[in-house]
Amino acid sequence: EIVLTQSPGTLSLSPGDRATLSCRASQSVTSRYVAWYQQKAGQAPRLLIHGASSRASGIPERFSGSGSGTDFTLTINRLEPEDFALYYCQQYGRSPWTFGQGTKVEIK
Amino acid sequence: QVQLQESGPGLVKPSGTLSLTCAVSGDSVSNNNWWSWVRQTPEKGLEWIGEIFYDGTTNYNPSLESRVTISIDKSKNHFSLNLNSLTAADTAFYYCVRVYWGAFDFWGLGTLVTVSS
């Protein structure tokens, strides 16, 4: 199975900063089939990005995704207070679909 | 707005069977979609369990395949998860999810299932 490794484990930033989250796959992900999710305490994950760079419905433009092959990035421009949360990447290019272990974006 | 709601017992005994149902509203399980189950624990994080297509075709995580059955009931607009031979390692939050072009776009609220005697 494809193992996804996210870095860093924790990102300490201030509102207004830019967050750059990395997701590295153990094998190349077919057709950029990578998604990003946000999860807040006590809630289910929420889809942010699919197809590596397409924003899901209702997701603000400050969220953007990029990458291909084995390296993918989620960028959050101008962090808002509600953006401090856990973020997961997922690949759906090769079954079994797998998730990264998560990156926590916390207030500095 | 698509909504999914998990239901089922919150406590099950070791070696027993976990049975959860996901009620879908705002969409039909008869549409051309996959429907999936995902679980989450602090130790292992998010783990995909398996999925079912509207025509009944299934796809399971090999790590759980010998113990999992996912089924669909079009008349009730829901789909279900059965997981047998339970151990404490199966204690987790279980989510039902709609699959959108492979990604998981709508999630249920999740239900905590504890495996304990």
Side-chain angles (χ1 to χ4, degrees):
Chain A
E1 70 176 45
I2 295 178
V3 176
L4 300 179
T5 302
Q6 292 186 240
S7 61
T10 301
L11 207 46
S12 298
L13 297 168
S14 301
D17 287 348
R18 171 184 292 179
T20 303
L21 288 67
S22 173
C23 176
R24 177 161 289 178
S26 60
Q27 305 168 43
S28 182
V29 180
T30 307
S31 301
R32 304 173 76 233
Y33 286 152
V34 167
W36 289 90
Y37 301 87
Q38 177 193 68
Q39 187 176 32
K40 297 180 180 178
Q43 296 183 18
R46 177 175 71 142
L47 177 65
L48 300 174
I49 301 287
H50 61 92
S53 60
S54 298
R55 271 187 303 278
S57 176
I59 301 304
E61 290 185 3
R62 64 180 182 273
F63 291 91
S64 63
S66 63
S68 64
T70 60
D71 291 301
F72 297 87
T73 300
L74 174 69
T75 301
I76 313 171
N77 286 311
R78 297 180 300 280
L79 281 164
E80 297 284 344
E82 62 267 27
D83 299 336
F84 292 91
L86 269 167
Y87 292 84
Y88 295 96
C89 60
Q90 179 224 349
Q91 68 80 24
Y92 50 99
R94 179 179 298 179
S95 183
W97 324 132
T98 51
F99 294 86
Q101 83 282 13
T103 289
K104 181 181 181 181
V105 179
E106 66 175 22
I107 299 177
K108 188 174 183 179
Chain B
Q1 176 77 340
V2 178
Q3 292 186 317
L4 297 92
Q5 177 67 61
E6 305 87 354
S7 61
L11 180 64
V12 288
K13 295 188 185 305
S15 76
T17 298
L18 175 165
S19 296
L20 297 176
T21 295
C22 181
V24 178
S25 58
D27 196 359
S28 170
V29 297
S30 301
N31 287 344
N32 192 12
N33 270 328
W34 287 88
W35 303 89
S36 193
W37 289 95
V38 174
R39 67 182 184 180
Q40 185 173 28
T41 64
E43 298 78 24
K44 294 189 70 175
L46 290 162
E47 181 179 29
W48 172 72
I49 299 169
E51 61 192 1
I52 189 163
F53 198 42
Y54 76 102
D55 66 357
T57 302
T58 53
N59 180 28
Y60 298 131
N61 191 323
S63 68
L64 297 167
E65 187 166 16
S66 63
R67 301 193 290 129
V68 173
T69 303
I70 297 176
S71 58
I72 199 163
D73 188 331
K74 296 176 184 178
S75 67
K76 296 181 179 177
N77 208 36
H78 74 207
F79 61 106
S80 300
L81 168 70
N82 274 15
L83 180 66
N84 59 34
S85 303
L86 296 172
T87 70
D90 295 308
T91 294
F93 272 94
Y94 285 78
Y95 295 99
C96 58
V97 186
R98 190 183 80 165
V99 184
Y100 172 75
W101 290 98
F104 300 149
D105 66 340
F106 286 99
W107 296 62
L109 296 176
T111 187
L112 175 62
V113 177
T114 302
V115 180
S116 175
S117 54

